[in-house]
Amino acid sequence: MKTRAAIAIAPETDLEIREVEVDEPRADELRVRMVASGVCHTDAIIRDQWYPVPLPVVLGHEGAGIVEAMGSDVQGFAEGDKVVIGPAFCGRCEQCLAGHPMYCVNFYDRNFGVQRPDGSKSFSDAQGPIGSHFFGQSSFAELTNVVAHGAVKVPDGVPLEILGPLGCGIMTGSGAVLNVLQPQPGSSIAVFGTGAVGMAGMLAAKAAGATTIIMVDIVPERLDFAKELGATHTVNSKETDPVEAIKEITGGGANFALDTTGVPPVFSQMTQSLATRGHGALVGAAKLGTEAPFAIGNLLLTGIKVSMVIEGDAVPKEFIPRLVSLHARGLFPFDKLIKKYPFEDINRAFADSADGSTLKPVIVF
Ligand code: NAD
Ligand code: ZN
């Protein structure tokens, strides 16, 4: 079948929208007509080749759409179902079986291999095959074959256009907080970075009952917006030492902290801003080989814990419906982070995300 897809062809270069051929879904796949897809910082860093993902490729990994066809082995879906698509995983390794599919030992191959496990690619044009199955979905295409076990059915009445980011960016920030840090009601948390991931972490901390929520960034407009959405305090770390500020606000250190920047000095600030036996998590991505200073001499006595968190350590089939319910009740207003763009404007969406003017762009097909 023919479809239109946005193709990453070279680093720091605009995606190209082209007509391509999409093959039939395999036994374990759904063909999904995309309704919308979020744009995540991870799409940009793969376009720019921070990780060696082969080009050309159809990126996009926050897809939401409608099931149009199903492979013969697929169970639990019907034509017309509304789905949000999360990452792919193998379902058979010890991490998948232990309930942590985001740490699937085959996670890199399944999500960044940009081909099926048998080596085939879903998309092609006159110039040859084009990488598919990015995060099991390659959602920057009007029609795409997705790995069925990564798809999550959502109720009929939901606003499908805004739900795609629940499959990655929003799940990452909120999952790191709700699944890993697990702040108790009345506790304190410091979030470094007020992008979509950090803001999702903030909204989740608020939903969980944290009462001191400190947002740290270097962009004043983002900090103002964080305050509007529920931050109790903001710190501009260009002007104020965030470690001192957090210690003063919390009376000694935050119980929990989240680094969504992946910037080495910020990671260090996060570890130093924790209270005794506090728990910090890193979700921000850094180039392969990046190292961050960790003050092991000073921090030993503090008993702090630091976790590296992928995709909020979520089980998407279990977690995404909970986020949908929280949102429906007004307790998780992540829609306030979203700005919609027509498919033709996908490169403007990337640019607005990069310069910080849009928190979470969503492409509407
Ligand atoms: P974003 O670029 O919108 O947000 C990052 C924020 O950090 C920005 O507001 C920026 O101003 C701020 N920042 C940058 N340098 C800073 C500094 N020195 N001090 C304080 N703040 C600083 O990105 P996002 O969409 O929110 O994503 C955040 C990160 O999470 C990205 O690195 C992305 O690749 C990563 N990510 C990780 C996972 C995962 O599974 N771990 C999943 C999705 C995204
Ligand atoms: Zn992502």
Side-chain angles (χ1 to χ4, degrees):
M1 293 181 85
K2 297 255 181 256
T3 192
R4 283 195 316 152
I7 301 164
I9 44 175
E12 328 265 344
T13 303
D14 277 358
L15 306 182
E16 242 180 61
I17 297 183
R18 278 193 223 151
E19 191 176 76
V20 298
E21 191 71 33
V22 57
D23 65 4
E24 288 299 308
R26 295 292 163 87
D28 61 344
E29 292 178 352
L30 307 172
R31 183 165 70 227
V32 174
R33 181 163 294 277
M34 283 295 158
V35 168
S37 174
V39 173
C40 172
H41 188 71
T42 308
D43 294 307
I45 69 180
I46 298 302
R47 178 199 62 188
D48 296 344
Q49 296 281 284
W50 284 25
Y51 303 167
V53 170
L55 304 176
V57 61
V58 178
L59 298 174
H61 63 284
E62 292 186 343
I66 295 174
V67 175
E68 205 177 80
M70 287 170 303
S72 54
D73 291 350
V74 172
Q75 293 180 351
F77 292 96
E79 268 174 50
D81 278 350
K82 291 182 167 179
V83 289
V84 171
I85 302 145
F89 47 90
C90 78
R92 297 189 185 95
C93 72
E94 64 275 22
Q95 292 305 325
C96 285
L97 294 174
H100 298 278
M102 301 299 106
Y103 297 98
C104 169
V105 301
N106 299 302
F107 193 88
Y108 190 88
D109 286 350
R110 298 292 168 118
N111 292 287
F112 297 99
V114 299
Q115 58 185 16
R116 295 187 175 99
D118 69 5
S120 65
K121 297 180 177 184
S122 223
F123 300 112
S124 60
D125 67 3
Q127 291 157 52
I130 299 165
S132 62
H133 293 78
F134 181 60
F135 277 82
Q137 56 184 294
S138 289
S139 59
F140 294 154
E142 287 169 340
L143 280 179
T144 184
N145 291 323
V146 314
V147 181
H149 68 227
V152 180
K153 213 164 122 172
V154 292
D156 255 346
V158 296
L160 196 56
E161 269 193 11
I162 61 163
L163 296 189
L166 295 182
C168 179
I170 303 297
M171 176 165 86
T172 290
S174 58
V177 170
L178 296 175
N179 298 330
V180 180
L181 297 178
Q182 303 186 0
Q184 299 90 346
S187 60
S188 57
I189 183 166
V191 178
F192 293 80
T194 57
V197 174
M199 295 288 208
M202 176 189 82
L203 294 174
K206 195 178 161 198
T211 42
T212 303
I213 304 177
I214 307 162
M215 299 299 287
V216 183
D217 207 295
I218 48 181
V219 180
E221 297 76 30
R222 287 202 162 186
L223 290 170
D224 291 344
F225 189 48
K227 203 127 201 203
E228 253 176 63
L229 288 184
T232 57
H233 303 78
T234 57
V235 177
N236 183 335
S237 55
K238 235 182 195 165
E239 293 165 355
T240 309
D241 176 354
V243 176
E244 276 172 28
I246 291 164
K247 289 203 158 149
E248 193 177 318
I249 294 164
T250 54
N255 302 125
F256 302 96
L258 182 66
D259 177 11
T260 72
T261 72
V263 174
V266 176
F267 176 81
S268 298
Q269 288 164 355
M270 176 189 79
T271 60
Q272 287 166 37
S273 66
L274 286 167
T276 302
R277 296 188 59 249
H279 187 179
L282 172 72
V283 298
K287 280 190 177 154
L288 297 178
T290 305
E291 296 188 358
F294 195 80
I296 58 170
N298 304 33
L299 290 174
L300 179 66
L301 288 169
T302 66
I304 63 162
K305 201 155 75 170
V306 175
S307 300
M308 307 286 131
V309 183
I310 290 295
E311 299 290 339
D313 194 9
V315 177
K317 264 202 166 67
E318 181 271 337
F319 190 60
I320 289 176
R322 288 203 279 137
L323 295 179
V324 172
S325 299
L326 279 171
H327 177 255
R329 290 286 177 117
L331 298 171
F332 187 64
F334 73 94
D335 53 290
K336 300 212 168 108
L337 311 175
I338 285 175
K339 185 173 166 193
K340 295 180 192 171
Y341 295 77
F343 189 28
E344 291 67 30
D345 289 347
I346 191 166
N347 290 303
R348 188 161 60 84
F350 270 68
D352 289 358
S353 169
D355 75 16
S357 50
T358 299
L359 274 158
K360 174 53 74 181
V362 169
I363 305 302
V364 180
F365 293 95

